[in-house]
Amino acid sequence: MLGQFDEKVALVTGAGSGIGRASSLAFAREGARVVVSDISPEGGEETVRRIKEFGGEAVFIKADVSRANEVESLIDDTVKTYGQLDYAHNNAGIPGRTALTADYTEEQWDRVININLKSVFLCMKHEIPRMLRQKSGSIVNTASTMGVVGFGTGPAYVASKHGIIGLTKSTALGYVKDGIRINAVCPGNTNTAIFAYVKEKLPELYDNVMAATPIGRFAQPEEIANAVIWLCSDSASYCTGHAMVIDGCYTAQ
Ligand code: NAD
């Protein structure tokens, strides 16, 4: 059976775990050749292994997305490896420390902003010229419900995710006539390593977060990946500059 992304190439950052691993697998199932990128070789190689297990095509390229030279090399190596770049899921991110704003150190702030927000700028800066040459492409940036609402002890994370939405809208407008669509996904609480950790170490917080989630469960990473795939697909041909909330009604309250 033909996949909707046969002959296409997708790049996913933060692809060694959670949502990025799920979108990498989903791109590959649709027929795309996938560049799986992460700072963690173990996680990234495991994602590649899972893709190859069902006959998909993927390669791991290590990159720290907060470093300009590594991002530039990542996009260059993607094109050297597979000849083109059709889809990018700029997804790598960290939660950072939870603390009130006045208790946040400058170093902690810079780390979260660099890994979560600057990285998305760097990725798009190098992805877009390639897509312009092809006169087509679709980019999805991972924001969060925390890009739409606040969280008292997450100033840097919340600022980084609000920033991603603003950056997504501005960049989408800038290239709206060039055949490149740029959107964001805003996941609610999703069952990934972050929540496995919270469940084990901070059960009270886990229960509180669950109680505040109207649908009564956390998302599976695949439910976020499905939205990424749709946003990249031709079915979303008129959708650009959008921040799609996928949160089991969390922000509807
Ligand atoms: P995860 O920890 O399972 O995966 C994140 C991946 O990013 C890891 O493999 C990690 O190695 C990689 N990474 C971290 N720093 C990196 C760097 N500097 N360069 C390259 N890779 C790096 O987390 P996840 O839940 O899958 O998160 C993916 C994205 O989704 C993040 O941007 C996160 O903020 C966002 N998000 C997650 C949730 C949730 O509830 N899990 C909710 C909203 C948004």
Side-chain angles (χ1 to χ4, degrees):
M1 201 176 83
L2 290 176
Q4 63 176 329
F5 296 158
D6 277 359
E7 313 295 326
K8 303 288 188 186
V9 175
L11 164 65
V12 181
T13 69
S17 174
I19 293 167
R21 172 173 287 163
S23 77
S24 300
L25 290 162
F27 275 120
R29 283 205 182 87
E30 293 295 343
R33 290 163 285 163
V34 184
V35 172
V36 169
S37 185
D38 204 284
I39 199 168
S40 154
E42 297 76 26
E45 294 292 4
E46 173 59 17
T47 302
V48 169
R49 191 192 65 74
R50 292 190 196 189
I51 288 172
K52 292 196 166 161
E53 209 169 50
F54 60 79
E57 169 68 37
V59 68
F60 171 68
I61 300 179
K62 184 175 186 286
D64 176 343
V65 288
S66 66
R67 293 178 183 272
N69 60 334
E70 295 193 26
V71 172
E72 187 172 7
S73 301
L74 169 64
I75 281 84
D76 281 354
D77 291 346
T78 296
V79 175
K80 272 186 209 142
T81 305
Y82 287 135
Q84 62 201 68
L85 176 63
D86 301 289
Y87 312 118
H89 181 197
N90 301 321
N91 165 78
I94 56 164
R97 185 189 165 210
T98 49
L100 292 167
T101 300
D103 299 325
Y104 235 78
T105 67
E106 187 180 349
E107 195 186 20
Q108 290 161 345
W109 169 270
D110 285 346
R111 181 163 186 265
V112 174
I113 297 297
N114 286 343
I115 295 177
N116 289 5
L117 176 58
K118 184 177 152 196
S119 65
V120 174
F121 159 70
L122 290 173
C123 285
M124 290 202 292
K125 180 173 169 56
H126 294 288
E127 291 158 358
I128 287 170
R130 181 68 216 176
M131 291 177 173
L132 284 175
R133 255 175 268 153
Q134 296 172 197
K135 297 189 173 56
S136 72
S138 178
I139 296 174
V140 179
N141 299 318
T142 300
S144 168
T145 48
M146 295 300 130
V148 181
V149 297
F151 179 62
T153 54
Y157 185 79
V158 167
S160 73
K161 296 301 185 178
H162 275 69
I164 288 175
I165 292 176
L167 177 61
T168 298
K169 289 180 179 176
S170 298
T171 312
L173 273 169
Y175 296 95
V176 69
K177 298 220 171 121
D178 294 312
I180 303 174
R181 293 184 301 101
I182 304 171
N183 294 286
V185 286
C186 304
N189 300 310
T190 306
N191 271 320
T192 64
I194 295 171
F195 273 99
Y197 175 86
V198 174
K199 191 174 186 180
E200 192 191 325
K201 306 280 184 200
L202 306 163
E204 206 173 313
L205 174 63
Y206 182 90
D207 290 345
N208 288 344
V209 175
M210 181 66 87
T213 306
I215 204 168
R217 66 176 178 82
F218 292 164
Q220 292 303 328
E222 293 72 21
E223 292 176 291
I224 312 304
N226 288 342
V228 174
I229 296 301
W230 182 77
L231 285 168
C232 286
S233 75
D234 289 346
S235 302
S237 51
Y238 202 66
C239 187
T240 185
H242 179 53
M244 181 184 281
V245 168
I246 308 144
D247 71 347
C249 246
Y250 182 82
T251 50
Q253 299 175 91

